[in-house]
Amino acid sequence: MLGPILVFAGAVLMTVGLVFLGGWVSGRGERAGKPDAALPDGSKTDRQLMDLYFIALVVAPLLGGAVLIAFGLEKLL
């Protein structure tokens, strides 16, 4: 019973990550400047916060969802 729950939770988490990735690519992540361009403020802190924002909202849900799916498939089989 735990396997399907883990797979479903992983799929939901990966969907959340993909939604945030779509928002990032469409321009919502450009508040502090484009990745290849210099920041208007030139602040290193702003760049670090952007990186942390990206990791927390895009990378973490995708990796967490993949891990949950892997453990759920292991429980199923």
Side-chain angles (χ1 to χ4, degrees):
M1 183 65 188
L2 185 61
I5 294 171
L6 288 175
V7 171
F8 179 73
V12 168
L13 200 55
M14 287 193 78
T15 303
V16 168
L18 288 174
V19 167
F20 281 124
L21 179 63
W24 187 274
V25 170
S26 71
R28 292 184 198 155
E30 293 182 5
R31 289 185 204 122
K34 293 184 179 180
D36 294 333
L39 288 175
D41 300 333
S43 172
K44 184 178 178 182
T45 304
D46 288 340
R47 175 66 64 194
Q48 289 174 342
L49 288 175
M50 284 294 284
D51 291 343
L52 183 62
Y53 175 76
F54 181 76
I55 290 170
L57 292 180
V58 176
V59 176
L62 290 174
L63 288 177
V67 169
L68 286 176
I69 289 172
F71 283 132
L73 290 176
E74 179 185 355
K75 295 287 184 182
L76 284 175
L77 303 175

